Amino acid sequence: SVAQTSCALNQAIATGLKVRLVLADYWGENLQATATMLDGLGTDNKRIKMKLKTSLQFFATEYEKGNIPNNLEIRFIDYVFPTRMTVVDPNSEQGHMYVHISSYINRTAPKATFHLTKQEPWFNSYKQEFERIWQDARPIDFEELNDMLRD
């Protein structure tokens, strides 16, 4: 759930663990495809852009205040995510992740979320998937973010 994910992220940041977030690219070509996957054919990407913009404005404001911790990294990728992953301390024995499976054109349908520990066989598969996505994602330039959000 969102509450579990948020709690896990806050705990990880507070305890000094490295946290890496990959967000859909606000300016990317695939944002419309993501909106279609979430809300259905014929929808525009206004809702998803609004949600992303709110998050990005929050991070930009926190950056200006000096509140982005060094252990938090954020990147963009122009990609339609079939799954969302929250990976916490994957290289330790306590490593774990939440894997959220998306639903095609059904925002209100129940979606499966799996909690995987490092001891489970699927853990390494999803960890490797996240690493491939991370390598292709581009870092956020916080210095330019506010200017870029004025659209």
Side-chain angles (χ1 to χ4, degrees):
S1 75
V2 172
Q4 287 173 318
T5 301
S6 186
C7 182
L9 287 174
N10 286 333
Q11 285 177 344
I13 290 169
T15 58
L17 296 175
K18 185 178 192 176
V19 175
R20 299 183 298 172
L21 300 177
V22 179
L23 303 174
D25 192 336
Y26 182 81
W27 299 273
E29 294 175 12
N30 285 305
L31 198 60
Q32 180 59 51
T34 299
T36 298
M37 183 186 79
L38 294 173
D39 294 335
L41 297 172
T43 59
D44 61 29
N45 60 15
K46 287 180 184 172
R47 188 178 75 80
I48 195 168
K49 280 192 93 159
M50 182 182 70
K51 289 176 76 174
L52 272 171
K53 189 172 188 174
T54 299
S55 296
L56 294 173
Q57 286 171 329
F58 168 79
F59 288 124
T61 301
E62 291 301 299
Y63 175 80
E64 287 177 354
K65 294 178 186 175
N67 290 340
I68 298 290
N70 291 335
N71 59 326
L72 173 62
E73 296 178 59
I74 306 169
R75 293 187 179 186
F76 288 126
I77 193 162
D78 190 19
Y79 175 70
V80 179
F81 294 94
T83 60
R84 291 178 299 118
M85 293 176 267
T86 304
V87 184
V88 179
D89 203 16
N91 297 320
S92 79
E93 282 305 309
Q94 295 79 31
H96 63 105
M97 70 178 68
Y98 297 97
V99 179
H100 313 276
I101 309 298
S102 295
S103 175
Y104 181 69
I105 308 181
N106 195 349
R107 184 173 72 213
T108 60
K111 296 164 189 69
T113 298
F114 300 99
H115 181 229
L116 301 176
T117 62
K118 191 159 187 172
Q119 293 71 35
E120 295 176 71
W122 284 101
F123 184 91
N124 281 331
S125 295
Y126 280 107
K127 179 184 173 201
Q128 291 169 0
E129 178 73 6
F130 181 82
E131 292 299 333
R132 285 190 296 270
I133 291 168
W134 184 259
Q135 290 303 313
D136 285 346
R138 66 180 172 83
I140 287 180
D141 183 343
F142 285 107
E143 296 290 330
E144 297 177 4
L145 189 56
N146 274 331
D147 290 337
M148 294 171 69
L149 288 170
R150 290 186 189 104
D151 61 359

